[in-house]
Amino acid sequence: MRFCFESVVAGSIAEGARLEIEQPEALGWCSACQQLMHIEQRFEVCAHCGHFPLEIRQGEQMRIKYLEVL
Ligand SMILES: [Zn+2]
């Protein structure tokens, strides 16, 4: 079954999807200065005012999906 899955995934859309999931584009929302910004790590301070923590608006769900793939 495992061998089957790898054969099917190789060269298919799923192969490209996995690459995309490994480098999710994360967005953080600062509630203090109301700005949306790209973040590199999950725990990052606001680039504008230094507020912490930022609300994760994008990227979190991608990570969960990645765990499901494994
Ligand atoms: Zn801020």
Side-chain angles (χ1 to χ4, degrees):
M1 183 62 194
R2 186 182 165 82
F3 174 77
C4 248
F5 177 75
E6 281 169 4
S7 303
V8 170
V9 165
S12 72
I13 297 166
E15 194 173 55
R18 195 195 289 164
L19 284 173
E20 195 181 319
I21 290 161
E22 280 175 359
Q23 295 182 309
E25 187 179 40
L27 290 175
W29 169 258
C30 177
S31 57
C33 63
Q34 316 253 304
Q35 296 226 42
L36 199 60
M37 69 207 80
H38 292 274
I39 53 172
E40 299 293 328
Q41 298 162 37
R42 186 173 169 172
F43 299 106
E44 212 165 291
V45 299
C46 175
H48 305 280
C49 72
H51 178 78
F52 180 87
L54 297 175
E55 255 180 64
I56 308 298
R57 283 293 171 90
Q58 189 183 304
E60 194 97 280
Q61 290 156 328
M62 299 284 263
R63 204 162 301 181
I64 293 163
K65 227 174 195 175
Y66 181 60
L67 287 173
E68 280 173 2
V69 172
L70 289 175

